Short mmCIF file of all heavy atoms in Angstrom, two decimals:
data_model
loop_
_atom_site.label_atom_id
_atom_site.label_comp_id
_atom_site.label_asym_id
_atom_site.label_seq_id
_atom_site.Cartn_x
_atom_site.Cartn_y
_atom_site.Cartn_z
N THR E 292 -59.80 46.35 -5.95
CA THR E 292 -60.13 45.08 -5.28
C THR E 292 -61.39 44.45 -5.83
O THR E 292 -61.50 43.22 -5.89
CB THR E 292 -60.28 45.31 -3.77
OG1 THR E 292 -61.30 46.29 -3.54
CG2 THR E 292 -58.97 45.80 -3.17
N GLY E 293 -62.35 45.26 -6.23
CA GLY E 293 -63.57 44.72 -6.81
C GLY E 293 -64.48 44.06 -5.78
O GLY E 293 -64.21 44.03 -4.58
N TYR E 294 -65.54 43.49 -6.30
CA TYR E 294 -66.55 42.86 -5.45
C TYR E 294 -65.97 41.67 -4.68
O TYR E 294 -66.17 41.54 -3.47
CB TYR E 294 -67.72 42.42 -6.32
CG TYR E 294 -68.79 41.64 -5.58
CD1 TYR E 294 -69.71 42.29 -4.77
CD2 TYR E 294 -68.87 40.25 -5.71
CE1 TYR E 294 -70.70 41.58 -4.09
CE2 TYR E 294 -69.85 39.53 -5.05
CZ TYR E 294 -70.75 40.20 -4.23
OH TYR E 294 -71.71 39.48 -3.56
N ASN E 295 -65.22 40.81 -5.38
CA ASN E 295 -64.68 39.62 -4.73
C ASN E 295 -63.68 39.97 -3.64
O ASN E 295 -63.63 39.33 -2.59
CB ASN E 295 -64.00 38.72 -5.77
CG ASN E 295 -65.00 38.09 -6.72
OD1 ASN E 295 -66.18 37.99 -6.39
ND2 ASN E 295 -64.55 37.67 -7.88
N GLY E 296 -62.85 40.99 -3.91
CA GLY E 296 -61.86 41.38 -2.92
C GLY E 296 -62.45 41.94 -1.65
O GLY E 296 -61.85 41.85 -0.58
N ARG E 297 -63.66 42.48 -1.75
CA ARG E 297 -64.30 43.04 -0.56
C ARG E 297 -65.03 41.99 0.27
O ARG E 297 -65.10 42.10 1.49
CB ARG E 297 -65.27 44.16 -0.96
CG ARG E 297 -64.58 45.41 -1.49
CD ARG E 297 -65.56 46.55 -1.66
NE ARG E 297 -66.53 46.28 -2.72
CZ ARG E 297 -66.36 46.59 -4.00
NH1 ARG E 297 -65.23 47.18 -4.37
NH2 ARG E 297 -67.27 46.32 -4.90
N ILE E 298 -65.58 40.97 -0.41
CA ILE E 298 -66.39 40.01 0.34
C ILE E 298 -65.62 38.75 0.74
O ILE E 298 -65.97 38.09 1.71
CB ILE E 298 -67.64 39.59 -0.46
CG1 ILE E 298 -67.23 38.80 -1.72
CG2 ILE E 298 -68.48 40.78 -0.81
CD1 ILE E 298 -68.38 38.10 -2.39
N ARG E 299 -64.55 38.41 -0.03
CA ARG E 299 -63.89 37.13 0.21
C ARG E 299 -62.64 37.28 1.07
O ARG E 299 -62.35 36.44 1.91
CB ARG E 299 -63.54 36.49 -1.14
CG ARG E 299 -62.84 35.14 -1.01
CD ARG E 299 -63.67 34.13 -0.24
NE ARG E 299 -64.84 33.70 -0.95
CZ ARG E 299 -64.92 32.58 -1.66
NH1 ARG E 299 -63.89 31.77 -1.75
NH2 ARG E 299 -66.05 32.27 -2.26
N SER E 300 -61.86 38.31 0.87
CA SER E 300 -60.63 38.49 1.63
C SER E 300 -60.22 39.94 1.59
O SER E 300 -60.75 40.72 0.82
CB SER E 300 -59.50 37.62 1.06
OG SER E 300 -59.19 38.06 -0.25
N LYS E 301 -59.27 40.29 2.43
CA LYS E 301 -58.74 41.64 2.44
C LYS E 301 -57.70 41.78 1.34
O LYS E 301 -56.49 41.72 1.57
CB LYS E 301 -58.16 41.97 3.81
CG LYS E 301 -59.21 42.00 4.92
CD LYS E 301 -58.59 42.32 6.26
CE LYS E 301 -59.65 42.36 7.35
NZ LYS E 301 -59.08 42.66 8.68
N SER E 302 -58.17 41.97 0.14
CA SER E 302 -57.28 42.03 -1.03
C SER E 302 -56.61 43.39 -1.12
O SER E 302 -57.20 44.43 -0.79
CB SER E 302 -58.10 41.76 -2.29
OG SER E 302 -57.31 41.96 -3.44
N THR E 303 -55.36 43.40 -1.60
CA THR E 303 -54.63 44.66 -1.80
C THR E 303 -54.90 45.25 -3.17
O THR E 303 -54.66 46.44 -3.39
CB THR E 303 -53.12 44.44 -1.65
OG1 THR E 303 -52.66 43.54 -2.67
CG2 THR E 303 -52.79 43.87 -0.29
N GLY E 304 -55.36 44.43 -4.11
CA GLY E 304 -55.60 44.91 -5.46
C GLY E 304 -54.32 45.18 -6.23
O GLY E 304 -54.34 45.87 -7.26
N MET E 305 -53.19 44.63 -5.76
CA MET E 305 -51.90 44.90 -6.40
C MET E 305 -51.38 43.72 -7.22
O MET E 305 -50.57 43.93 -8.13
CB MET E 305 -50.86 45.27 -5.34
CG MET E 305 -51.14 46.59 -4.64
SD MET E 305 -51.14 47.98 -5.78
CE MET E 305 -49.43 48.00 -6.28
N GLY E 306 -51.80 42.50 -6.91
CA GLY E 306 -51.24 41.32 -7.56
C GLY E 306 -51.37 41.35 -9.07
O GLY E 306 -50.38 41.21 -9.81
N LEU E 307 -52.59 41.53 -9.57
CA LEU E 307 -52.81 41.54 -11.03
C LEU E 307 -52.22 42.78 -11.67
O LEU E 307 -51.80 42.75 -12.83
CB LEU E 307 -54.30 41.42 -11.33
CG LEU E 307 -54.92 40.04 -11.12
CD1 LEU E 307 -56.41 40.08 -11.41
CD2 LEU E 307 -54.24 38.99 -11.99
#
Side-chain angles (χ1 to χ4, degrees):
T292 57
Y294 175 77
N295 291 339
R297 291 189 293 271
I298 66 167
R299 180 58 69 97
S300 65
K301 295 180 180 179
S302 173
T303 63
M305 293 299 294
L307 286 178

